[in-house]
Amino acid sequence: MLIDTYGRVATDLRVSLTDKCNLRCTYCMPEEGLQWLTKTELLTDDEIVRLIGLAVTRLGIEEIRFTGGEPLLRPGLVGIVERCAALEPRPRMSLTTNGIGLVRTAAALKAAGLDRVNVSLDTLRPDAFKALTRRDRHRDVLDGLRAARDAGLTPVKVNTVLMPGVNEDEAPDLLAWAVEHGYELRFIEQMPLDAQHGWKRDSMVTAGDILASLRTRFTLTEESGTARGSAPAERWLVDGGPHRVGVIASVTRPFCGACDRTRLTADGQVRTCLFAREETDLRAALRSGAPDEEIATLWKLAMWGKKAGSGLDDPAFLQPDRPMSAIGG
């Protein structure tokens, strides 16, 4: 069991499969100049599967989320999913992606055992998409969303970040579109993930702003009957249901007290939080021939030291130095 000193138990593992991405979103990565991890620094497919297997069979992990960078760029992704689906007990598995590669991979991922996907899409306007991502791939993302839905990777969740002066006016249009196509939309407050440190707390679009904008067109009823638990999204029924919309208020209403996540970076480091400053090296232990019991102990010790919160609720928060592309969302 991965328990910390505050009594939280990690059952959700986020696994970054690569630091590379085929978009350059302004709130995440610079346009150029990033130094990528070398092949030898990255965990191999076998190392990833071993660590996930250890987490599931020895440490109580119940859910796996594959992230990046862009996880669809990982050549061995389908095989990794298939091998993890064979674990006992079988973990629930999802993937966070920009959607560009889903047309060619959605059916294979479903057949391999992937349960569902989260697709990042911040705008319905191709010109705004190009400005935000520095790539002209809007149509590819829309096609990928349809491919995921048709393959049965449901519920297909769409993650959206609103930014002032760029797409902050699109919340109602995005929700109407998601309802029409059967996607579950989740708005995420912009977090300080950009390598160029352009994030400013006092100018971000907050959860309150988002809900106020949505209520200009929709009736939102807070979902009841199910405990939120460790889920990051607060959810509302749209016009009485059955469609829902979620808002993840990571900055203004942090949910660290119920966090159940542990993170494995693309180069084999354990992170207790997306914004943690410390890491625990499992790759070195793996490659030195350490047995599973020793690696499990390292992981347990790392999680025991997890801090009470992320620090995002502190106005003086400073961004971590490590590039977020290798850590995963």
Side-chain angles (χ1 to χ4, degrees):
M1 181 181 293
L2 294 172
I3 189 169
D4 65 34
T5 54
Y6 298 92
R8 297 169 297 192
V9 178
T11 58
D12 183 336
L13 171 60
R14 304 298 169 102
V15 182
S16 174
L17 296 178
T18 179
D19 57 334
K20 295 181 175 61
C21 187
N22 42 13
L23 297 179
R24 294 292 181 273
C25 296
T26 56
Y27 55 78
C28 182
M29 300 171 74
E31 187 168 8
E32 55 187 21
L34 273 176
Q35 185 172 353
W36 305 113
L37 294 169
T38 65
K39 186 175 181 179
T40 56
E41 290 175 305
L42 288 169
L43 291 176
T44 67
D45 292 0
D46 287 344
E47 288 170 337
I48 290 169
V49 173
R50 181 182 171 192
L51 289 175
I52 291 175
L54 187 156
V56 169
T57 61
R58 290 175 176 253
L59 298 174
I61 291 298
E62 300 171 356
E63 184 165 351
I64 309 296
R65 173 79 64 85
F66 296 107
T67 70
E70 172 46 52
L72 296 183
L73 295 179
R74 177 88 187 198
L77 173 61
V78 172
I80 290 171
V81 170
E82 187 172 32
R83 292 166 68 184
C84 292
L87 293 169
E88 293 290 344
R90 183 198 186 282
R92 298 185 299 273
M93 291 185 293
S94 59
L95 179 142
T96 295
T97 172
N98 61 32
I100 289 174
L102 280 173
V103 168
R104 60 179 173 77
T105 58
L109 287 168
K110 179 64 177 179
L114 192 71
D115 295 304
R116 63 171 191 83
V117 294
N118 285 39
V119 179
S120 299
L121 179 66
D122 300 321
T123 177
L124 298 176
R125 303 191 297 251
D127 57 335
F129 181 91
K130 188 174 181 180
L132 275 167
T133 67
R134 305 184 180 103
R135 299 290 187 271
D136 190 11
R137 307 297 297 273
H138 190 253
R139 173 52 55 186
D140 295 321
V141 178
L142 296 181
D143 291 345
L145 279 160
R146 281 193 294 272
R149 184 188 60 200
D150 294 346
L153 292 169
T154 53
V156 176
K157 296 184 179 180
V158 177
N159 293 343
T160 296
V161 175
L162 297 181
M163 300 180 67
V166 181
N167 62 340
E168 63 183 320
D169 61 328
E170 284 197 72
D173 290 340
L174 281 158
L175 182 53
W177 166 83
V179 167
E180 177 186 356
H181 292 279
Y183 306 135
E184 186 174 325
L185 184 61
R186 306 196 313 169
F187 292 97
I188 304 174
E189 286 183 337
Q190 184 189 359
M191 294 178 283
L193 302 178
D194 59 312
Q196 55 272 39
H197 294 189
W199 180 82
K200 290 182 175 58
R201 183 187 180 91
D202 57 1
S203 64
M204 61 175 284
V205 181
T206 68
D209 298 331
I210 294 164
L211 291 169
S213 178
L214 293 175
R215 286 182 171 123
T216 64
R217 196 183 306 180
F218 302 95
T219 298
L220 302 182
T221 307
E222 192 164 4
E223 191 175 43
S224 59
T226 18
R228 179 183 174 190
S230 59
E234 299 173 80
R235 298 193 299 186
W236 284 263
L237 295 175
V238 180
D239 292 339
H243 298 287
R244 299 176 299 188
V245 63
V247 178
I248 300 177
S250 304
V251 178
T252 61
R253 295 200 289 270
F255 38 86
C256 301
C259 180
D260 65 348
R261 297 178 185 177
T262 183
R263 297 175 181 275
L264 184 64
T265 69
D267 54 351
Q269 313 298 307
V270 167
R271 279 207 159 208
T272 59
C273 172
L274 184 61
F275 296 97
R277 301 302 180 97
E278 301 84 20
E279 297 178 331
T280 299
D281 188 358
L282 298 188
R283 184 188 64 193
L286 277 173
R287 295 181 181 177
S288 68
D292 284 354
E293 183 177 352
E294 181 179 328
I295 296 169
T297 298
L298 284 173
W299 207 328
K300 288 178 183 178
L301 289 172
M303 293 306 295
W304 184 251
K306 184 172 182 173
K307 291 182 169 56
S310 65
L312 281 176
D313 53 344
D314 181 355
F317 178 83
L318 297 175
Q319 297 98 321
D321 298 325
R322 180 127 149 82
M324 285 293 166
S325 57
I327 297 169

